[in-house]
Amino acid sequence: IPGESSMKELRKAIDLNVTSTMWVSSQFTKTFLTTSPAESSASAAKSPLVRIVNISSLCAVDPFPTMSIYCAGKAARDMFHSVLAKEHSSNSKENDEGADDKEDESSQEQKQSFKVLNYAPGPCDTQMTDDLAGSSVLDDGLHKYFTTSKQESTLVRSEDTAKKLVQILRLDEYESGSHVDYYDV
């Protein structure tokens, strides 16, 4: 959206794309992690396996002309989820100092029990890309990219990015809170 959005449109976009995601992730975390981050390393064996996936975008880490609100929203979501990962990591200095081997194992287990992934699915063939390809206010370079990608069928298919996400989650080798793009794997 170019810089001519009303305050009402801006608030609606931020509420939909940022506020609601923060609330849902917070409620999910609160529901599945009943202990505080400091207490959780002591009870790692009791902790459920929890994974939160934020559907991100290249727009979270790269600025795109005429997409400022979307980019800002995606960047805010990535940062929120990265902080959430850090808050629930047992890899803090407090937990590492003076820990014996058993505590190190427990800490490692807890570290693996809660993870957050910011996953950018790539430029998918969706209603959004249809809208971008048909937009009269989108940056010329982006408009050309989406129009050409749509015509040449080079956009990522939803099924393909979903399979990639499942693969990433199954391997579980990503760093909690990191941003992983479809094309990175």
Side-chain angles (χ1 to χ4, degrees), residues 71-180:
C71 289
K74 287 295 188 178
R77 286 170 56 149
D78 266 28
M79 182 55 73
F80 172 81
H81 286 90
S82 294
V83 171
L84 186 65
K86 190 73 89 176
E87 287 174 346
H88 293 283
S89 168
S90 63
N91 202 20
S92 68
K93 286 184 180 182
E94 279 183 9
N95 292 337
D96 288 345
E97 289 178 13
D100 61 21
D101 291 343
K102 186 175 182 180
E103 287 172 341
D104 286 342
E105 279 179 31
S106 177
S107 177
Q108 193 64 1
E109 187 175 326
Q110 172 60 23
K111 183 178 177 186
Q112 296 304 311
S113 70
F114 179 86
K115 289 176 80 173
V116 178
L117 174 64
N118 292 303
Y119 178 67
C124 295
D125 192 2
T126 64
Q127 183 63 49
M128 181 180 170
T129 53
D130 290 347
D131 293 346
L132 291 171
S135 175
S136 61
V137 294
L138 189 64
D139 172 73
D140 289 339
L142 288 173
H143 184 267
K144 182 178 178 180
Y145 169 79
F146 284 111
T147 303
T148 303
S149 296
K150 189 78 179 158
Q151 290 169 347
E152 296 176 358
S153 298
T154 57
L155 294 168
V156 177
R157 295 179 333 137
S158 298
E159 307 85 55
D160 294 336
T161 196
K163 285 177 186 175
K164 179 92 53 135
L165 174 57
V166 169
Q167 174 190 9
I168 293 166
L169 292 170
R170 280 189 176 153
L171 290 173
D172 204 29
E173 295 174 348
Y174 60 92
E175 180 181 339
S176 186
S178 64
H179 177 101
V180 178

Side-chain angles (χ1 to χ4, degrees), residues 24-94:
V24 168
S25 292
S26 295
Q27 294 304 305
F28 183 87
T29 303
K30 188 168 118 178
T31 299
F32 288 98
L33 298 179
T34 56
T35 58
S36 72
E39 296 171 288
S40 62
S41 66
S43 61
K46 299 175 189 174
S47 297
L49 185 64
V50 177
R51 298 293 181 265
I52 294 179
V53 179
N54 169 43
I55 300 302
S56 188
S57 170
L58 182 59
C59 291
V61 296
D62 230 356
F64 287 85
T66 65
M67 295 185 70
S68 59
I69 295 170
Y70 184 75
C71 289
K74 287 295 188 178
R77 286 170 56 149
D78 266 28
M79 182 55 73
F80 172 81
H81 286 90
S82 294
V83 171
L84 186 65
K86 190 73 89 176
E87 287 174 346
H88 293 283
S89 168
S90 63
N91 202 20
S92 68
K93 286 184 180 182
E94 279 183 9

Side-chain angles (χ1 to χ4, degrees), residues 14-26 77:
I14 295 300
D15 283 348
L16 175 67
N17 293 305
V18 180
T19 308
S20 62
T21 302
M22 291 169 70
W23 186 84
V24 168
S25 292
S26 295
R77 286 170 56 149

